Amino acid sequence: MNSDRYENAVTRYFEAWNARETEARAKAVAAAWTTDGGYTDPFSEAGGHEQIAAVIAGTHEQFPGFAFRLAGAVDGHHDTARFSWELVSEADGSAPVAGSDVIVLDADGRIKAVLGFLDRVPAGA
């Protein structure tokens, strides 16, 4: 198993989620996902680069000044990897949102699908 493949995919994934400028976000999403890639979590379902970028932009609007960080190790086998993350305030280090994602990769290591689960969500979010 090539763990670099999973690590690289997750690194590109976080680059997309942490891109704040529209153009940078579009480039990062295109680098991370296949053209027809998807993203699903309890609050959103997106298909294709534009919809995925819009979900990410909406998250930044809801949580300004926050960044996504890997929490723990990336675990993978075959074309699938899983990992946990936190949404961390750059001001005080608090992490009101945390979750776990499962990603499915294509042969080139780009994301075909993300299945996101929320482990910690603030009240009213």
Side-chain angles (χ1 to χ4, degrees):
M1 285 184 282
N2 181 358
S3 64
D4 284 350
R5 179 175 183 234
Y6 309 120
E7 299 278 346
N8 292 339
V10 171
T11 296
R12 289 191 306 273
Y13 179 74
F14 282 113
E15 285 170 359
W17 274 99
N18 287 323
R20 296 196 175 143
E21 301 298 324
T22 303
E23 190 174 321
R25 184 168 39 247
K27 286 181 181 178
V29 167
W33 271 269
T34 60
T35 306
D36 60 349
Y39 175 86
T40 307
D41 71 19
F43 296 114
S44 23
E45 187 170 1
H49 293 172
E50 285 186 22
Q51 287 184 14
I52 293 167
V55 167
I56 294 170
T59 301
H60 284 287
E61 289 170 15
Q62 188 177 359
F63 295 96
F66 282 76
F68 286 89
R69 302 274 187 261
L70 183 64
V74 177
D75 181 28
H77 64 82
H78 296 86
D79 291 330
T80 307
R82 67 177 178 171
F83 55 94
S84 296
W85 52 265
E86 293 181 319
L87 185 59
V88 180
S89 167
E90 294 170 345
D92 64 13
S94 65
V97 183
S100 301
D101 291 354
V102 174
I103 60 175
V104 180
L105 305 177
D106 73 358
D108 296 324
R110 289 173 70 208
I111 299 169
K112 293 193 294 188
V114 177
L115 303 173
F117 296 86
L118 298 171
D119 302 322
R120 183 170 66 237
V121 180

